[in-house]
């Protein structure tokens, strides 16, 4: 390397010229020594530069301000693969990524003008054609007149660090399983679309919420790895289908961020739920058509462990509207529409509309009021007699919750149990019902002392069953109220019992261990596996009302009812027929050998005082209280 830095004029000792001759000789010697020292010093500096640049891992270059290369340290060859000769034959910008050149030129200009180098990052091509990311700072070298003539550029290879940063960023905004954008990235894109729509009111977009059905059975039988594979395959099929979708007519203006607006973005929210953002739609039917394509694309089965997996999708659509303030609001509405679609059956599609909005508002109000109802103790337990069909006497009661709402009416569970279930409020409500029913049962046992004891049936909701500590709640109610455990019959619907048979067996066994009896409610409406039913330690099956309703006129209902009784007896279970409204229905179930009946024919659910009257009047006649099969004994809406 050859680098010369001129002896500066200001450093020449001019005073020597004014001295006498002998002195001058001495001075010349001194001057000679001075120059020799300066040279040596310069040589040292050059040597130092050489040693540093040749041994540094960073690439150090000396270029003229015109861009001409004067020197490239050996690190260039190690990092970028070019020999010094190859580099010398090319301009300093030649290997720089075309998109970054302008920035590099600008940074060099800045360094030339100000003498202070800016810190920049740019891409440079490796000799093998790949791109490396370099972090670079330029320092200026001035001539004697103070002008910048050269730049010393120090480049560091930060490719690995950059890739790692990019990877981390990617992971933060993408779903690990499918590689699709995740919820955060989706909401970000949705926000951009909303911002764009504010500036361009003609710009319309839609959010599709896609819920895939049919995977649950695979997670139960084949485990999570298989379901993950299925979700991966589904996402790939959806991606491919959307790429080739020419059903929507879109314009492609450019969004503020530079990203073209007019795209669709498929994201995975969680589990088997995906979302889709459709930008620049022309009509509301565009997202509907896309929804249909999504559903069609799932028509062919997937394969999991050699087994065909049939899936379907419920899709909710929310259309852009200036009334949306936050992306989450639009996503929520698409979700609500999806739930409606799901409720309407497989492969449904619903668009969120004002009616749905009204329903949501009403629901939210109900939710708030339900919360207050717990604090204000507005719940009451009504009791409906369960009759021993052979004798017509009351063998037990079913505890049914009522809500004394707005001080005007009793609201039946049909109008609030679902909301209570979804919000989790059912847990405290159920706990209260349970304790109240146990307290009342014990009081009636003391009062009437029948043999066998009056049975109290209490309903348990799915949430109570799966999430709360049901066993602990039951135990604490038994301890507190001192009611005999065997006089209690806990009722769990068939669908609930079969949804997680392992959990059902575990909880049932715990409850049986403390002496509580168990019943399967609404039997015949779910999908029971007989072997599973056999393994549950239950005591009673309750035939669903829908079969009793048709028993007189519909052969199928009648045969199903008969079959359920036979099946139950085979499994050594007792049967309660619910919803008996006519003497004809009563006659049929009695003929089938059903032991117990419940329905308006005997009595609707009534408050505790009315039921106590029934028990009292019956106990006057016999050991076990009887109820007359006849008209309703009391209006269900009477206040407790
Ligand atoms: P379920 O357990 O099947 O209760 C029977 C329902 O049928 C009761 O409705 C009862 O009033 C009604 N019913 C009885 N006999 C007849 C009849 O002859 N004809 C007709 N059409 N209906 C009859 P209710 O009280 O409205 O309760 C509805 C559902 O709400 C119950 O169905 C049960 O699943 C749930 N539920 C009620 N109380 C509670 C509770 O305290 N906790 C929980 N988790 N669920 C409850
Ligand atoms: Mg029930
Ligand atoms: Mg029922």
């Amino acid at each position: 390397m050859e680098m010369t830095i001129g002896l500066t004029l200001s450093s020449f000792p001019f005073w020597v010229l004014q001295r006498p001759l002998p002195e001058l000789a001495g001075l010349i010697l001194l001057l000679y020594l001075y120059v020799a020292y300066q040279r040596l010093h310069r040589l040292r500096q050059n040597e130092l530069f050489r040693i540093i640049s040749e041994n540094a891992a960073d690439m150090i270059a000396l270029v003229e301000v015109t861009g001409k290369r004067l020197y490239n340290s050996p690190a260039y060859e190690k990092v970028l693969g070019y020999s010094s000769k190859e580099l010398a034959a090319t301009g300093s910008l030649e290997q720089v990524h075309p998109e970054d050149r302008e920035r590099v030129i600008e940074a060099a200009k800045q360094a030339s003008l100000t003498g202070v180098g800016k810190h920049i990052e740019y891409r440079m091509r490796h000799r093998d054609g790949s791109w490396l990311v370099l972090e670079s700072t330029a320092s200026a070298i001035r001539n004697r007149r103070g002008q910048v003539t050269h730049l010393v550029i120090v480049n560091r290879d930060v490719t690995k660090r950059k890739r790692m940063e990019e990877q981390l960023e990617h992971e933060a905004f993408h779903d690990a399983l499918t590689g699709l954008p995740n919820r955060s990235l989706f909401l970000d894109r949705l926000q951009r679309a909303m911002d764009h729509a504010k500036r361009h009111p003609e710009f319309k977009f839609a959010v599709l919420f896609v819920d895939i059905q049919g995977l649950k059975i695979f997670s139960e039988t084949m485990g999570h790895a298989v379901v993950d594979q299925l979700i991966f395959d589904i996402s790939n099929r959806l991606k491919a289908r959307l790429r080739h979708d020419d059903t929507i007519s879109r314009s492609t203006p450019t969004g503020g961020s530079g990203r073209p607006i007019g795209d669709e973005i498929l994201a995975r929210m969680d589990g088997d739920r995906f979302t889709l953002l459709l930008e620049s739609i022309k009509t509301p039917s565009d997202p509907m058509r896309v929804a249909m394509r999504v559903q069609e694309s799932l028509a062919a089965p997937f394969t999991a462990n050699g087994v065909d997996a049939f899936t379907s999708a419920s899709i909710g659509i929310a259309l852009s509207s200036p009334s949306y303030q936050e992306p989450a609001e639009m996503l929520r509405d698409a979700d609500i529409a999806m739930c409606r679609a799901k409720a309407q059956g497989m492969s449904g599609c619903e668009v969120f509309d004002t009616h749905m909005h009204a329903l949501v508002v009403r629901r939210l109000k109900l939710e708030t009021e339900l919360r207050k109802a717990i604090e204000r103790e507005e719940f009451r337990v009504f009791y409906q007699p369960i009759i021993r069909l052979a004798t017509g006497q009351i063998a037990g009661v079913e505890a049914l919750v009522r809500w004394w709402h707005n001080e005007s009416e009793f609201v039946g569970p049909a109008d609030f149990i679902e909301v209570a279930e979804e919000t989790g409020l059912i847990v405290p409500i159920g706990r209260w019902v349970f304790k109240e029913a146990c307290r009342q049962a014990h009081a009636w046992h003391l009062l009437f002392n029948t043999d066998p004891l009056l049975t109290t049936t209490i309903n348990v909701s799915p949430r109570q069953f799966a999430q709360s500590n049901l066993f602990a709640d039951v135990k604490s109610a038994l301890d507190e109220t001192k009611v005999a455990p065997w006089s209690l019959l806990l009722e769990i619907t068939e669908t609930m019992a079969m949804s997680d048979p392992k959990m059902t067996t575990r909880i049932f066994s715990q409850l049986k261990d403390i002496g509580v009896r168990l019943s399967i409610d609404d039997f015949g409406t779910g999908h029971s596996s007989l072997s599973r039913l056999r393994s549950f330690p239950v005591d009673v099956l309750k035939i669903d009302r829908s079969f009793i309703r048709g028993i007189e006129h519909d052969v199928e209902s009648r045969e199903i009812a008969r079959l359920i009784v036979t099946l139950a007896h085979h499994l050594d279970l007792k049967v309660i027929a619910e919803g008996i409204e006519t003497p004809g229905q009563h006659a049929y179930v009695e003929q089938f050998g059903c032991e117990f009946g419940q329905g308006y024919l005997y009595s609707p659910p009534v408050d505790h005082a009315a039921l106590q009257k029934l028990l009292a009047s019956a106990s006057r006649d016999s050991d076990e209280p009887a109820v007359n099969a006849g008209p309703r004994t009391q209006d269900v809406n009477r206040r407790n």
Side-chain angles (χ1 to χ4, degrees):
M1 183 205 73
E2 183 60 40
M3 234 198 104
T4 45
I5 299 171
L7 176 71
T8 58
L9 217 59
S10 57
S11 67
F12 182 80
F14 289 100
W15 49 269
V16 297
L17 302 174
Q18 295 145 20
R19 296 285 148 190
L21 216 62
E23 205 181 316
L24 207 60
L27 283 175
I28 285 170
L29 181 68
L30 255 178
L31 187 59
Y32 175 78
L33 284 174
Y34 174 78
V35 171
Y37 168 79
Q38 286 258 316
R39 280 227 179 104
L40 187 70
H41 183 66
R42 240 177 283 133
L43 269 174
R44 284 234 179 102
Q45 279 185 335
N46 289 346
E47 183 68 358
L48 201 62
F49 181 80
R50 192 187 62 77
I51 292 171
I52 292 172
S53 62
E54 291 190 2
N55 290 293
D58 290 346
M59 293 168 282
I60 300 170
L62 181 71
V63 294
E64 283 181 358
V65 276
T66 56
K68 188 175 171 223
R69 282 182 165 133
L70 297 179
Y71 168 73
N72 287 96
S73 70
Y76 268 87
E77 187 158 5
K78 278 189 216 131
V79 178
L80 287 165
Y82 304 104
S83 68
S84 321
K85 258 194 189 164
E86 283 171 311
L87 285 176
T90 55
S92 60
L93 285 173
E94 200 154 317
Q95 288 82 14
V96 175
H97 195 288
E99 285 174 14
D100 298 343
R101 274 183 200 157
E102 218 169 287
R103 271 187 317 115
V104 173
I105 293 170
E106 185 53 33
K109 227 190 252 169
Q110 280 283 319
S112 312
L113 284 173
T114 62
V116 185
K118 225 172 100 194
H119 197 78
I120 60 161
E121 263 178 25
Y122 64 99
R123 284 160 293 176
M124 198 134 170
R125 198 177 43 237
H126 189 277
R127 200 165 183 275
D128 66 10
S130 63
W131 291 102
L132 300 187
V133 184
L134 305 185
E135 197 178 72
S136 164
T137 335
S139 310
I141 296 180
R142 296 173 188 280
N143 65 13
R144 281 175 227 162
R145 288 191 297 280
Q147 293 161 325
V148 176
T149 53
H150 298 84
L151 294 175
V152 174
I153 300 160
V154 180
N155 288 309
R156 174 166 295 177
D157 176 15
V158 293
T159 316
K160 266 195 197 140
R161 197 192 73 204
K162 283 304 282 184
R163 299 271 180 274
M164 215 129 85
E165 281 171 11
E166 279 165 17
Q167 175 75 14
L168 284 176
E169 196 179 307
H170 184 89
E171 280 167 14
F173 291 103
H174 290 81
D175 170 51
L177 174 65
T178 58
L180 290 175
N182 63 12
R183 188 188 169 86
S184 308
L185 185 54
F186 187 81
L187 287 174
D188 175 71
R189 295 290 184 264
L190 190 51
Q191 178 73 64
R192 287 188 199 184
M194 287 169 91
D195 292 345
H196 187 76
K198 272 189 199 135
R199 295 190 302 274
H200 308 272
E202 74 291 349
F203 173 69
K204 301 267 181 284
F205 57 99
V207 169
L208 275 73
F209 209 113
V210 182
D211 183 272
I212 309 284
Q213 276 119 61
L215 298 180
K216 197 159 181 270
I217 180 89
F218 286 90
S219 72
E220 277 170 8
T221 53
M222 294 188 182
H224 291 299
V226 171
V227 175
D228 280 356
Q229 181 61 46
L230 279 170
I231 287 173
F232 181 75
D233 294 346
I234 289 169
S235 77
N236 278 344
R237 202 184 278 179
L238 293 182
K239 257 189 272 182
R241 186 69 193 85
L242 290 167
R243 243 196 322 272
H244 299 115
D245 197 341
D246 50 5
T247 52
I248 38 176
S249 41
R250 305 188 202 100
S251 49
T252 49
T254 304
S257 61
R259 187 182 66 84
I261 291 268
D263 266 2
E264 67 269 324
I265 290 147
L266 177 68
R268 182 177 177 217
M269 291 292 105
D270 49 49
D272 47 16
R273 288 145 44 101
F274 295 86
T275 50
L276 190 58
L277 171 62
L278 290 182
E279 294 179 336
S280 281
I281 54 166
K282 288 253 170 79
T283 69
S285 57
D286 282 340
M288 288 293 271
R289 277 201 294 271
V290 173
M292 276 161 63
R293 294 292 178 277
V294 167
Q295 282 162 341
E296 279 166 17
S297 72
L298 298 176
F302 293 87
T303 312
N305 272 7
V307 178
D308 276 351
F310 289 91
T311 58
S312 62
S314 298
I315 302 177
I317 298 171
L319 300 168
S320 57
S321 148
S323 65
Y324 286 123
Q325 301 294 323
E326 298 287 332
E329 292 171 7
M330 203 171 162
L331 196 61
R332 179 205 59 202
D333 286 355
D335 191 0
I336 290 167
M338 183 276 289
C339 291
R340 293 266 300 194
K342 199 167 167 179
Q344 272 153 33
M346 285 189 359
S347 290
C349 176
E350 280 281 331
V351 181
F352 187 85
D353 59 18
T354 44
H355 170 67
M356 240 182 252
H357 187 76
L359 280 180
V360 172
V361 171
R362 220 170 57 215
R363 213 199 110 107
L364 285 175
K365 203 165 151 231
L366 183 67
E367 203 180 305
T368 319
E369 286 174 23
L370 208 50
R371 275 178 213 283
K372 286 192 207 143
I374 298 177
E375 292 157 25
R376 294 178 184 164
E377 299 182 349
E378 291 178 352
F379 294 104
R380 299 285 179 276
V381 181
F382 271 40
Y383 298 91
Q384 185 176 31
I386 294 173
I387 308 303
R388 190 184 298 281
L389 292 175
T391 61
Q393 286 170 319
I394 301 179
V397 290
E398 176 166 13
L400 295 159
V401 70
R402 297 289 180 268
W403 177 14
W404 179 241
H405 187 38
N406 287 341
E407 306 212 330
S408 60
E409 50 166 352
F410 275 113
V411 180
D415 295 318
F416 69 87
I417 285 280
E418 197 187 316
V419 176
E421 180 71 25
E422 281 171 23
T423 51
L425 291 170
I426 192 68
V427 175
I429 297 173
R431 198 178 287 138
W432 179 84
V433 170
F434 196 87
K435 205 159 268 182
E436 176 58 20
C438 287
R439 193 198 55 73
Q440 185 61 70
H442 188 57
W444 281 333
H445 292 163
L446 294 178
L447 204 60
F448 300 107
N449 196 22
T450 51
D451 183 22
L453 285 176
L454 183 84
T455 298
T456 301
T457 301
I458 306 170
N459 292 283
V460 175
S461 84
R463 188 93 170 228
Q464 275 175 287
F465 196 62
Q467 286 184 7
S468 73
N469 199 347
L470 180 67
F471 177 71
D473 287 350
V474 170
K475 193 132 189 353
S476 112
L478 288 175
D479 291 346
E480 200 176 303
T481 61
K482 306 280 181 290
V483 70
W486 57 91
S487 72
L488 297 182
L489 193 61
L490 287 200
E491 223 166 64
I492 286 109
T493 62
E494 181 189 15
T495 316
M496 197 195 327
M498 293 298 164
S499 72
D500 187 346
K502 269 193 202 144
M503 181 179 76
T504 304
T505 312
R506 182 172 52 78
I507 299 177
F508 275 5
S509 305
Q510 284 180 331
L511 292 169
K512 283 299 285 188
D513 283 348
I514 52 170
V516 172
R517 291 189 299 141
L518 302 160
S519 158
I520 304 269
D521 202 359
D522 303 341
F523 192 80
T525 55
H527 302 278
S528 274
S529 139
L530 288 184
S531 63
R532 278 174 184 167
L533 187 62
R534 232 182 131 92
S535 70
F536 294 155
V538 289
D539 305 270
V540 174
L541 283 192
K542 216 175 200 187
I543 310 178
D544 189 64
R545 203 165 63 220
S546 55
F547 303 112
I548 307 302
R549 195 186 306 127
I551 212 165
E552 288 176 280
H553 312 289
D554 171 31
V555 183
E556 203 174 312
S557 295
R558 190 183 312 146
E559 285 316 305
I560 292 174
R562 190 204 305 271
L563 254 169
I564 293 175
V565 178
T566 314
L567 167 80
H569 289 164
H570 270 295
L571 296 173
D572 215 13
L573 308 175
K574 299 276 186 274
V575 188
I576 303 175
E578 74 177 350
I580 300 176
E581 292 181 354
T582 66
Q585 292 166 347
H586 170 102
Y588 269 115
V589 291
E590 194 181 12
Q591 180 202 326
F592 296 159
C594 189
E595 289 85 359
F596 303 98
Q598 175 184 354
Y600 292 169
L601 176 67
Y602 319 108
S603 165
V606 293
D607 68 25
H608 76 285
L611 196 99
Q612 190 160 312
K613 265 191 210 151
L614 280 180
L615 293 172
S617 75
S619 77
R620 276 195 293 274
D621 308 329
S622 76
D623 266 0
E624 215 177 54
V627 164
N628 293 327
R632 298 178 181 200
T633 49
Q634 190 185 4
D635 182 15
V636 263
N637 288 338
R638 256 187 56 181
R639 191 173 178 180
N640 191 349

